[in-house]
Amino acid sequence: MSSPVTTNNVLDRSIFTTLSVEQQREYYSEYGFVLLPEVVSPVQITEIANEAAGSPRYDFIDRWPGPALEAIITNPKLLAALRLCYGEDIRFFKAVYEEWRDQTEDNRQRGRQRMHRDYTPIPKNGDYRNSCASWGNVGCYLIDLEVDEGPLWVVPGSHKIAWGAQGDSWEQFAGGARMVLAKAGDAVMFHNLTIHAGGIMRSGKPRPSVFPSFRPAWAAPLGTVPEWPKAIVDQASPALRRLLAGQNDGVRVDAYGIIQHH
Ligand SMILES: O=C(O)CCC(=O)C(=O)O
């Protein structure tokens, strides 16, 4: 697989538009992320905007969404890529709908968030959902990203950098970052160890997006996490229920590959 093509640090989106699912898996394995084109349809984008109106940010564990956002969890294009990368038996463990209306001054000055990995083995706030040894986050962007309007910055191949290499911060790897300019409806799947950062909107306009997270069934969180509410699981379609059940099941493997006993 050839290395990512860039112009002025911008990855060429067209390289992603013709990949087969197997090529998406190869790209993901090599670079730690892959853009999945046209995952959310224009009609769904409008429905999501209606559903989310008045709620600029929410975590699905606090508020289960309406049908348009729920449909993202079982989106066939997403699940095909996720299952090829993580195996047939996967769990949906988290999602956040986010419009990014409240940017910090720090982010505004830098033009983006701090470079980070989403994997958090020792959460300061007691939320263990991001602590699974293996998982993937999917950014579903509901507007076109531009160089000055919320680009996603990704460091290709950074999922291979050893845990512990960060010292105080992942910011030291920012020089290798490239911009991914997703179009409205595209999804970008990234590995839990891939270094990345969301870019700010220079215009100050909202940046609606949703971030569903999935893990292989074996990769349990390192501490207890909430199960999805029983009422939601009971009402779910069989395909969705399979993704929701058993949030604490699996093996606890830490950042160094050591099995932790419950
Ligand atoms: O918004 C994005 O494009 C990335 C967001 C992100 O990495 C985060 O909020 O942790």
Side-chain angles (χ1 to χ4, degrees):
M1 183 130 298
S2 61
S3 64
V5 179
T6 64
T7 314
N8 300 329
N9 288 338
V10 177
L11 280 179
D12 180 358
R13 178 182 176 278
S14 71
I15 61 175
F16 298 105
T17 55
T18 54
L19 296 183
S20 65
V21 185
E22 180 51 43
Q23 287 170 326
Q24 289 173 340
R25 189 198 64 75
E26 274 177 44
Y27 193 96
Y28 189 70
S29 164
E30 184 68 19
Y31 298 113
F33 72 97
V34 66
L35 183 144
L36 311 174
E38 298 177 7
V39 162
V40 188
S41 72
V43 171
Q44 268 181 303
I45 292 176
T46 306
E47 288 170 355
I48 291 171
N50 292 335
E51 265 179 30
S55 302
R57 181 183 201 282
Y58 64 93
D59 188 320
F60 287 18
I61 198 69
D62 298 325
R63 170 182 157 184
W64 191 256
L69 272 171
E70 185 186 286
I72 286 189
I73 306 167
T74 49
N75 180 290
K77 287 187 192 170
L78 277 193
L79 290 184
L82 283 158
R83 288 203 159 113
L84 211 53
C85 294
Y86 288 98
E88 192 53 32
D89 197 9
I90 55 177
R91 294 289 175 274
F92 163 71
F93 67 88
K94 179 178 172 181
V96 176
Y97 173 78
E98 174 69 273
E99 292 182 359
W100 266 47
R101 288 177 189 265
D102 302 314
Q103 274 306 321
T104 64
E105 192 45 41
D106 202 32
N107 287 353
R108 249 190 292 275
Q109 280 181 11
R110 199 184 300 106
R112 55 168 171 75
Q113 298 174 306
R114 288 181 75 75
M115 289 289 161
H116 61 280
R117 280 176 162 174
D118 286 339
Y119 173 60
T120 313
I122 308 173
K124 292 194 183 85
N125 60 2
D127 179 354
Y128 277 93
R129 289 178 298 173
N130 288 2
S131 70
C132 314
S134 174
W135 64 278
N137 204 359
V138 189
C140 301
Y141 297 97
L142 306 180
I143 57 163
D144 290 351
L145 306 185
E146 312 280 356
V147 169
D148 289 327
E149 293 286 86
L152 168 64
W153 288 88
V154 178
V155 182
S158 56
H159 60 311
K160 297 178 184 171
I161 296 171
W163 185 254
Q166 71 271 35
D168 286 343
S169 150
W170 293 108
E171 201 49 37
Q172 61 185 296
F173 296 98
R178 300 288 176 264
M179 275 183 261
V180 180
L181 302 181
K183 296 273 185 208
D186 288 349
V188 181
M189 183 167 118
F190 39 98
H191 188 284
N192 65 345
L193 298 181
T194 298
I195 300 169
H196 66 281
I200 65 145
M201 302 286 283
R202 295 276 179 205
S203 65
K205 289 182 189 160
R207 180 176 180 268
S209 47
V210 56
F211 294 89
S213 305
F214 299 82
R215 67 170 174 92
W218 65 262
L222 293 175
T224 304
V225 298
E227 296 289 333
W228 292 110
K230 185 171 177 325
I232 302 294
V233 179
D234 287 349
Q235 279 169 29
S237 65
L240 177 57
R241 196 175 311 140
R242 192 174 155 208
L243 298 171
L244 300 180
Q247 290 297 315
N248 290 285
D249 295 354
V251 185
R252 289 183 176 175
V253 177
D254 74 11
Y256 301 97
I258 311 288
I259 292 179
Q260 305 288 310
H261 294 285
H262 291 223

